[in-house]
Amino acid sequence: MKKVMYLEFERCIGCRSCQAACRECGGHDAKERNYVEYIDFFESRQTYPMMCMQCKDPACAKVCPANAIQITEEGVVLSAMEEKCIGCRNCTFGCPFGIPKFDFEENKMYKCDMCYDRTKYDISPMCASVCPSDAIRFIDHDEMMELRRRRTQMNLIEGKKPSQNDKWQYVPEFFGVYSD
């Protein structure tokens, strides 16, 4: 059974262990490719993990004039290929989540690729392997679907309705994301 990423934003405790693990991951050049953001810094200290949502139709890849951003058969959106990236930064502007970052010193783009060198063998990405609060998990698809079903039921019981936030429509079915 194929495994998937599952995020529960409200579980994030802001420890940033996911960022530290990402920096330590081989091939990441000691750069973190995921982020921990504040929901509203002026209102609370609640944080949430943010990494590439592996969009169904990734804007970053669509706006790349050099075709440097490749998508694997499994749907994983990879970082720009160094030999093709021309440094235009279209990907950084095109992503609705603000994930791709541009390194001006090295003149290249980098972003989360779900630790593809690990996940293609069903090994947990670095961020999920160290998250102490289970805000980031790498789980079986069936387990994710069960969690989603229970979450939907609880939201209905609590009277919560799905929000109409456009950017989440790009997130594929294999990537579970939840936030209250």
Side-chain angles (χ1 to χ4, degrees), residues 11-71:
R11 285 178 168 257
C12 182
I13 58 174
C15 68
R16 292 177 165 66
S17 60
C18 56
Q19 288 181 292
C22 188
R23 275 192 305 273
E24 298 299 318
C25 189
H28 285 191
D29 302 323
K31 293 182 184 344
E32 56 209 33
R33 295 168 183 228
N34 59 2
Y35 313 97
V36 175
E37 305 283 352
Y38 287 98
I39 290 175
D40 185 347
F41 185 77
F42 295 107
E43 295 292 323
S44 79
R45 296 298 180 250
Q46 178 62 47
T47 55
Y48 63 95
M50 199 65 200
M51 65 257 326
C52 181
M53 294 292 133
Q54 307 300 324
C55 297
K56 294 180 246 186
D57 189 18
C60 62
K62 284 175 85 172
V63 300
C64 179
N67 198 27
I69 301 171
Q70 301 296 306
I71 304 161

Side-chain angles (χ1 to χ4, degrees), residues 105-116:
E105 290 177 14
E106 296 190 29
N107 197 39
K108 69 177 182 180
M109 178 278 267
Y110 60 94
K111 65 173 243 358
C112 166
D113 60 6
M114 275 183 46
C115 293
Y116 185 65

Side-chain angles (χ1 to χ4, degrees), residues 104-153:
F104 287 94
E105 290 177 14
E106 296 190 29
N107 197 39
K108 69 177 182 180
M109 178 278 267
Y110 60 94
K111 65 173 243 358
C112 166
D113 60 6
M114 275 183 46
C115 293
Y116 185 65
D117 58 327
R118 297 168 57 93
T119 56
K120 68 182 173 187
Y121 299 112
D122 280 345
I123 300 169
S124 182
M126 294 296 285
C127 58
S129 69
V130 300
C131 182
S133 64
D134 279 343
I136 307 169
R137 290 186 258 178
F138 193 62
I139 58 178
D140 291 330
H141 186 269
D142 291 343
E143 184 180 352
M144 179 196 70
M145 294 309 286
E146 176 60 22
L147 287 167
R148 290 176 87 170
R149 187 185 63 74
R150 277 192 273 153
R151 188 67 174 244
T152 301
Q153 288 173 339

